[in-house]
Amino acid sequence: MAPPSAIEVLPETDTSTFTVPDRLTIQAIAKRRAASGKLIAGVAAAADIGSFKGRTHHLHKHPANRWDHRLTAEAKSRGGSSLKEAAKFLKQPGLISLGGGLPSSEYFPVEEVTFKVPVLGTDNAQRHAVLTAGKHDMASGTSDFDLATALQYGQGHGSAQLLRWMVEHTELVHNPPYRDWSCTMTVGSTSAFDIALRMLSKPGDFMLSEEYTFPAAVEAAGPVGVRVAAVQMDEGGMLAESLDDVLCSWDEKARGGRKPFLLYTVPTGQNPTGSTQSLQRRKQIYEVAQKHDLYILEDEPYYFLQMQPYTGQNAPDVPAPASHQDFLASLVPSYLSLDTDGRVMRMDSFSKVIAPGTRVGWITASEQICKCYSIHADLSTQSPSGLSQMMLFKILEEHWDHDGYLDWLLHIRMEYTQRRNVILEACEQHLPKEVVSWRAPSAGMFHWLRVEWHKHPDYPHKTLEEIEDELFHANMKHGTLLMKGSWFCPDKTMANEKMFFRATYAAAPLDQIREAVRRFGEALREAFGLPAASNGH
């Protein structure tokens, strides 16, 4: 079974001059690397994305749209770091550099870093491999990356060594259907979103998002003068028809701002609702984006936390995918894999699949957008932490490689499936279905619980906000914490008649998840005047 493919689009009317290549496979990556030769990437090395993608592999695709008409004056005026431009000359053989203001690696007080990582595919769950990075591994020929390079200043796009792996992974999983796509590293997706706002919006603009969304995105947009226009959702995420309605009926005078251009969405395991947009839904939303010339910010930290189907209590579990191909085929295709225009900036992150403290991620977008982004990074965040990049390089490139990383993703898929099943079974056992309902999430780490507040004894004398606050504090008195749904509403002017609470099953031990749900059920029964549970039911 083949990995998920993008929409089949060959815009050329005559493709006879092109040999359309097969999708990139793990096996083909080694052949590509061998053909491109040894990677030479020293201090502050420029990254040749074209060679990482394969020189001829995308010639049959058309180029991305240009976004000059949407870039801000700040983005257009940034010329990059003139000093870092000189780094490209460091590859010249025999060059003695007295130019760069680089501290001597001789005085970096770290000679070696050693850490343990799990060995996958073994019966012994405690088995680990010890990985070591030395200061001068490149000079000794033992590695393509070392501490003398990782701890030195770098380019805004990150180290070429790790970036090559990211480019290959992106093509392996998503295969963007236009020619000039590119990648550049980020200091996590929060930073990527902040830079994207500065590149593509100005004070007074609106951004579109789901009617419940990640609060940090709203809080990042507010101080730069960007407001949020909410788009209605259902259990399958953002509604394409609502998106179209918002844009078609946009009244600049009434809204106090021009028609939105940016669309921010978390399509998979959405925070807070846990909803996942189907392939059909994504295609519909992309068509609306084409109609209204939107640019999509695809925030996907939970993409690889797509889980096995929920079969219900006491039902047999669905077996894990049998192969890497089956695993990739089971994933809902991304917006990036549908993006024939280059109108998507996909923000990938290691935060939910390795560790948030690495502060390393990457974006995929057109070469124009990636270049603009990396120039901005050069003059603000610079590249992500060199130690984090080194650690990830050792794990992803030298220890796991691409097939090992897919094994790891499959492993955590099954772990999160178990956690999701535990909270769903606890809800079935402990929550009063007279007043609370839910749907099984298919991805992510959040469980969205709808509470029928109209059935509360104080309705209609108290507002939704008042009853929600009472339930929140009643639950706290019972010793557990769930988040108010209203905290995730980006547009406070939008009328809200539904009450939700958000739970997460990501981190607490399984027995504590069960106990927390039981306590929440007790709090609801007391607040709504319902009979106490009998034997936990």
Side-chain angles (χ1 to χ4, degrees):
M1 187 180 297
S5 58
I7 297 176
E8 293 298 330
V9 177
L10 288 177
E12 292 84 357
T13 56
D14 178 11
T15 59
S16 60
T17 58
F18 298 105
T19 299
V20 179
D22 295 329
R23 280 286 301 267
L24 182 66
T25 63
I26 292 174
Q27 294 74 21
I29 290 174
K31 295 180 180 179
R32 175 182 291 178
R33 287 192 177 189
S36 63
K38 181 176 175 59
L39 177 63
I40 306 298
V43 171
D48 184 358
I49 303 295
S51 69
F52 300 164
K53 291 164 53 178
R55 297 291 185 191
T56 62
H57 206 73
H58 301 275
L59 292 179
H60 65 288
K61 302 174 182 178
H62 71 95
N65 292 358
R66 296 283 302 180
W67 299 101
D68 305 81
H69 62 300
R70 296 297 193 181
L71 290 172
T72 62
E74 176 187 358
K76 291 177 181 178
S77 66
R78 285 186 180 271
S81 170
S82 56
L83 296 180
K84 287 190 177 182
E85 280 293 308
K88 63 185 178 183
F89 298 110
L90 294 176
K91 294 175 68 174
Q92 181 177 318
L95 180 73
I96 300 174
S97 174
L98 300 180
L102 307 179
S104 172
S105 63
E106 179 183 352
Y107 307 123
F108 295 168
V110 182
E111 295 295 323
E112 186 176 275
V113 173
T114 300
F115 53 99
K116 290 183 178 181
V117 297
V119 175
L120 305 176
T122 64
D123 295 332
N124 184 358
Q126 302 304 314
R127 185 182 171 197
H128 292 84
V130 177
L131 306 184
T132 300
K135 184 181 283 189
H136 301 296
D137 289 347
M138 293 171 68
S140 65
T142 57
S143 177
D144 288 338
F145 202 22
D146 60 18
L147 289 173
T149 304
L151 296 178
Q152 191 55 271
Y153 284 114
Q155 300 282 353
H157 57 57
S159 65
Q161 293 91 332
L162 181 57
L163 189 56
R164 175 175 65 173
W165 185 94
M166 293 171 170
V167 171
E168 292 166 348
H169 170 81
T170 298
E171 185 174 348
L172 182 70
V173 176
H174 306 287
N175 190 28
Y178 62 95
R179 183 187 306 163
D180 51 335
W181 61 273
S182 188
C183 298
T184 190
M185 232 176 278
T186 69
V187 187
S189 292
T190 302
S191 174
F193 177 73
D194 177 69
I195 291 177
L197 283 176
R198 294 181 61 172
M199 287 168 49
L200 296 164
S201 62
K202 59 184 182 181
D205 279 355
F206 277 85
M207 174 183 72
L208 298 150
S209 81
E210 289 93 347
E211 62 179 309
Y212 297 97
T213 194
F214 181 41
V218 181
E219 291 156 1
V224 296
V226 176
R227 293 164 287 175
V228 178
V231 179
Q232 292 180 354
M233 313 172 66
D234 64 8
E235 62 275 7
M238 180 181 289
L239 290 163
E241 54 267 32
S242 175
L243 177 63
D244 191 43
D245 287 344
V246 168
L247 292 164
C248 287
S249 62
W250 192 267
D251 186 329
E252 292 191 359
K253 185 175 181 181
R255 290 273 195 168
R258 62 175 177 167
K259 183 178 174 181
F261 156 64
L262 284 180
L263 170 61
Y264 171 77
T265 183
V266 183
T268 310
Q270 196 248 7
N271 183 5
T273 68
S275 64
T276 295
Q277 297 171 18
S278 67
L279 173 58
Q280 184 61 29
R281 181 70 60 87
R282 295 178 198 220
K283 288 181 177 179
Q284 293 169 347
I285 290 172
Y286 189 82
E287 288 175 359
V288 176
Q290 289 179 311
K291 175 182 176 181
H292 295 279
D293 195 32
L294 301 181
Y295 194 85
I296 299 173
L297 301 178
E298 180 182 26
D299 190 3
E300 279 285 52
Y302 314 106
Y303 185 72
F304 289 110
L305 300 187
Q306 297 183 47
M307 297 173 285
Q308 300 298 92
Y310 180 62
T311 54
Q313 283 184 299
N314 304 317
D317 294 331
V318 176
S323 67
H324 295 150
Q325 289 76 20
D326 289 346
F327 171 57
L328 292 173
S330 72
L331 302 173
V332 181
S334 63
Y335 277 105
L336 178 63
S337 71
L338 307 176
D339 183 20
T340 55
D341 300 337
R343 65 173 65 250
V344 172
M345 176 193 286
R346 177 180 172 86
M347 297 180 283
D348 271 293
S349 171
F350 293 117
S351 64
K352 306 303 188 294
V353 295
I354 292 186
T358 62
R359 303 320 304 146
V360 177
W362 73 99
I363 62 165
T364 306
S366 67
E367 289 178 359
Q368 179 192 21
I369 296 297
C370 281
K371 182 178 180 180
C372 186
Y373 183 99
S374 62
I375 288 173
H376 190 121
D378 266 329
L379 300 172
S380 58
T381 61
Q382 300 208 36
S383 64
S385 161
L387 279 175
S388 289
Q389 291 187 64
M390 170 58 73
M391 182 183 73
L392 289 167
F393 174 82
K394 287 290 181 181
I395 296 173
L396 298 170
E397 170 80 11
E398 294 188 346
H399 178 55
W400 284 342
D401 207 351
H402 289 285
D403 54 352
Y405 185 56
L406 294 182
D407 288 338
W408 174 253
L409 294 175
L410 185 52
H411 166 69
I412 61 172
R413 173 195 186 113
M414 301 310 295
E415 291 293 309
Y416 274 91
T417 296
Q418 180 189 14
R419 288 179 163 276
R420 187 273 317 269
N421 291 352
V422 164
I423 199 170
L424 289 174
E425 290 163 4
C427 288
E428 289 285 347
Q429 182 177 1
H430 297 299
L431 297 188
K433 294 182 181 178
E434 305 96 313
V435 297
V436 61
S437 58
W438 60 88
R439 290 180 177 270
S442 61
M445 51 179 60
F446 302 112
H447 189 32
W448 194 232
L449 297 156
R450 180 174 177 178
V451 176
E452 301 299 332
W453 69 284
H454 296 95
K455 296 182 180 180
H456 191 275
D458 291 335
Y459 174 82
H461 306 296
K462 291 185 177 179
T463 65
L464 182 152
E465 290 75 17
E466 290 171 327
I467 293 175
E468 179 190 50
D469 191 62
E470 288 184 12
L471 293 178
F472 174 81
H473 288 286
N475 192 39
M476 288 289 292
K477 288 180 181 178
H478 279 264
T480 190
L481 172 67
L482 276 73
M483 298 300 183
K484 296 180 183 180
S486 62
W487 288 342
F488 301 92
C489 295
D491 185 354
K492 302 305 181 184
T493 66
M494 191 174 184
N496 186 16
E497 288 299 318
K498 297 177 182 178
M499 181 185 293
F500 295 94
F501 283 86
R502 192 202 74 177
T504 179
Y505 44 87
L510 300 184
D511 59 336
Q512 291 187 17
I513 292 175
R514 297 184 184 98
E515 175 61 16
V517 172
R518 188 193 67 78
R519 294 177 184 180
F520 183 51
E522 282 187 348
L524 288 175
R525 286 187 172 88
E526 289 182 9
F528 282 84
L530 299 173
S534 176
N535 296 322
H537 294 275

